[in-house]
């Protein structure tokens, strides 16, 4: 059983009856569910993740007025609920995992992820909010929300970035992919600097994964769940998933052995120092970028026929309507 399923059952069979009995006056105005930090909120938990911050538990969200009146009493009642449920022991909270379940004030809960603007009001605020924080604010499941205030903020966030913000971020990721993978990886390998080459490759992989999320209009989570999250998203979206072919290429790129021998002299007669096709990683990088270019064209964000992603950045920027975003540096966001 996943943590999210366990939480839902625990709420339905243990939590809600307690609230109905002891806090019936507030039940029509509260929201309950499991949202926030932790792999179980994303539905990514497995046997390995059960070693910390896992077990029966759920969140209760109250408006400010009700929170000030009843939160202490309601939290005490929550703390007195049975610790074991369906054969699962008490929630094994780690030092950094405290405060993930229990009673919260709605604005305070969202503040830890997106700040005081709930939802964000300006394009620049949207642009600079940490994406993994937004992903955390909209994950999990709301079991019920009778007042609708918690869900109203959630729904606005779930609707995804304003389109101009998404396009601006896509331009920035295209630039990062070009610089890290198509340009600097090769230059570092030519110099024999394996450390710098791997750092460039890492920048390319991060930018590529972020790009695929943006092309699919889905928030990118915390780094250790980003690739796993893409595979899960691919399962859900099926044929609608953009750049599906890039997933296996990204994974292969990360496990391909060192390619230093492909850069040693003497070089073959047709050796190209900029696109060295004797380096397996270079080939994967170029193939990934070609898939991204095709999708950019499909989405109407470029009409340029060039495999080098840097060549597309200003064409992508030209698709932005908002003047403030349009005049940002291409790498911002």
């Amino acid at each position: 059983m996943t943590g999210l399923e366990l939480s839902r059952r625990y709420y339905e069979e243990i939590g809600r009856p307690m609230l109905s009995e002891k806090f019936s006056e507030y039940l029509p105005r509260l929201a309950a569910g499991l949202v926030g930090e932790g792999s179980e909120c994303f539905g990514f938990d497995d046997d390995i993740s059960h070693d910390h911050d896992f077990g029966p538990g759920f969140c209760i969200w109250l408006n400010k007025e009700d929170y000030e009146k009843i939160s202490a009493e309601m939290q005490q009642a929550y703390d007195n609920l049975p610790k074991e449920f369906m054969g699962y022991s008490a929630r094994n909270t780690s030092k950094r995992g405290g405060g993930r379940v229990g009673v919260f004030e709605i604005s305070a809960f969202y503040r830890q992820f997106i700040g005081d603007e709930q939802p964000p009001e300006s394009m620049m605020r949207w642009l600079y909010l940490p994406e993994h924080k937004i992903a955390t604010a909209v994950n999990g499941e709301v079991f019920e929300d009778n007042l609708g205030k918690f869900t109203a903020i959630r729904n606005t966030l779930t609707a995804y970035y304003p389109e101009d913000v998404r396009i601006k971020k896509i331009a920035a990721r295209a630039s990062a992919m070009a610089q890290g993978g198509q340009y600097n990886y090769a230059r570092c390998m030519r110099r024999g600097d394996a450390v710098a080459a791997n750092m460039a490759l890492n920048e390319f992989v991060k930018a590529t994964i972020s790009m695929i999320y943006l092309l699919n209009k889905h928030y990118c989570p915390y780094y250790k769940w980003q690739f796993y999250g893409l595979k899960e998203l691919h399962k859900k979206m099926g044929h609608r998933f953009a750049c599906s072919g890039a997933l296996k290429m990204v994974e292969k790129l990360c496990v391909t052995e060192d390619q230093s021998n492909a850069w040693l002299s003497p070089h073959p007669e047709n050796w190209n120092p900029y696109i060295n096709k004797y380096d397996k990683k270079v080939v994967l990088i170029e193939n990934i970028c070609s898939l991204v270019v095709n999708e950019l064209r499909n989405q109407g964000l470029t009409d340029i026929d060039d495999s080098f992603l840097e060549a597309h950045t200003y064409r992508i920027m030209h698709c932005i309507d908002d003047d403030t975003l349009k005049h940002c540096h291409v790498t911002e966001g």
Side-chain angles (χ1 to χ4, degrees):
M1 179 178 290
T2 67
L4 195 55
E5 293 169 335
L6 178 63
S7 175
R8 188 187 308 109
R9 292 284 299 273
Y10 187 63
Y11 175 71
E12 292 172 348
E13 298 180 26
I14 303 295
R16 198 179 194 285
M18 178 274 289
L19 292 171
S20 181
E21 177 187 349
K22 297 184 177 181
F23 304 98
S24 58
E25 176 186 351
Y26 297 91
L27 190 57
R29 298 198 297 274
L30 62 77
L34 185 67
V35 177
E37 296 176 328
S39 58
E40 73 278 11
C41 295
F42 285 99
F44 297 162
D45 55 308
D46 54 20
D47 291 342
I48 295 174
S49 58
H50 288 186
D51 65 341
H52 67 90
D53 304 312
F54 181 86
F58 56 89
C59 304
I60 301 169
W61 299 285
L62 301 171
N63 63 47
K64 186 175 182 180
E65 181 181 357
D66 288 347
Y67 185 84
E68 291 174 349
K69 289 180 180 178
I70 202 67
S71 62
E73 184 180 343
M74 191 174 286
Q75 183 64 54
Q76 184 61 53
Y78 176 92
D79 292 339
N80 289 335
L81 291 174
K83 299 296 186 290
E84 297 187 2
F85 178 69
M86 294 185 64
Y88 290 91
S89 58
R91 190 174 180 87
N92 51 348
T93 304
S94 66
K95 290 183 179 180
R96 294 190 178 185
R100 294 183 178 182
V101 294
V103 182
F104 303 90
E105 191 268 313
I106 293 172
S107 294
F109 180 83
Y110 278 114
R111 187 177 300 120
Q112 62 186 315
F113 304 118
I114 63 172
D116 287 325
E117 292 180 10
Q118 301 171 10
E121 297 174 2
S122 71
M123 292 291 191
M124 294 304 292
R125 180 61 180 160
W126 273 109
L127 186 68
Y128 280 106
L129 273 177
E131 188 172 358
H132 72 279
K133 290 290 188 180
I134 311 178
T136 303
V138 299
N139 66 14
E141 184 180 339
V142 178
F143 306 146
E144 67 174 308
D145 182 3
N146 301 303
L147 187 64
K149 184 177 180 181
F150 183 87
T151 305
I153 300 171
R154 179 180 174 89
N155 287 346
T156 303
L157 294 172
T158 304
Y160 203 58
Y161 290 121
E163 182 63 2
D164 277 355
V165 173
R166 185 182 81 100
I167 295 171
K168 178 65 197 73
K169 286 180 171 287
I170 285 173
R173 299 305 174 271
S175 178
M177 289 176 68
Q179 288 297 308
Q182 293 180 290
Y183 183 73
N184 280 321
Y185 171 74
R187 292 177 72 85
C188 294
M189 291 300 287
R190 287 172 66 190
R191 292 192 176 102
D193 190 341
V195 174
N198 276 284
M199 292 175 71
L201 198 64
N202 183 55
E203 292 299 309
F204 174 78
V205 170
K206 288 195 299 182
T208 298
I209 289 174
S210 177
M211 173 69 90
I212 297 173
Y213 274 102
L214 288 163
L215 293 173
N216 285 284
K217 298 185 179 181
H218 200 86
Y219 295 119
C220 186
Y222 184 59
Y223 74 91
K224 75 173 182 178
W225 294 116
Q226 288 175 6
F227 188 68
Y228 184 89
L230 277 182
K231 293 191 292 184
E232 292 299 299
L233 185 61
H234 182 219
K235 291 178 185 177
K236 293 178 182 178
M237 294 184 67
H239 69 279
R240 296 180 293 107
F241 186 87
C243 289
S244 60
L247 295 185
K248 288 186 177 180
M249 293 183 192
V250 169
E251 189 167 26
K252 188 173 182 181
L253 180 63
C254 292
V255 299
T256 296
E257 67 277 8
D258 176 69
Q259 296 293 295
S260 295
N261 288 339
W263 298 86
L264 299 175
S265 58
H267 305 301
E269 185 176 345
N270 61 344
W271 187 79
N272 183 337
Y274 301 102
I275 304 180
N276 178 7
K277 294 186 177 180
Y278 294 94
D279 183 320
K280 296 177 183 177
K281 294 183 180 181
V282 168
V283 174
L284 287 166
I285 288 169
E286 291 300 321
N287 288 341
I288 291 168
C289 290
S290 292
L291 287 175
V292 169
V293 169
N294 288 339
E295 184 57 32
L296 293 174
R297 293 172 67 89
N298 290 340
Q299 296 193 18
L301 298 177
T302 187
D303 54 6
I304 300 172
D305 187 16
D306 192 324
S307 62
F308 187 45
L309 276 169
E310 187 67 38
H312 298 266
T313 54
Y314 290 98
R315 181 65 188 88
I316 298 169
M317 292 285 290
H318 186 70
C319 297
I320 298 171
D321 292 324
D322 183 83
D323 284 337
T324 302
L325 292 177
K326 188 186 288 286
H327 292 94
C328 287
H329 191 278
V330 67
T331 61
E332 285 190 75

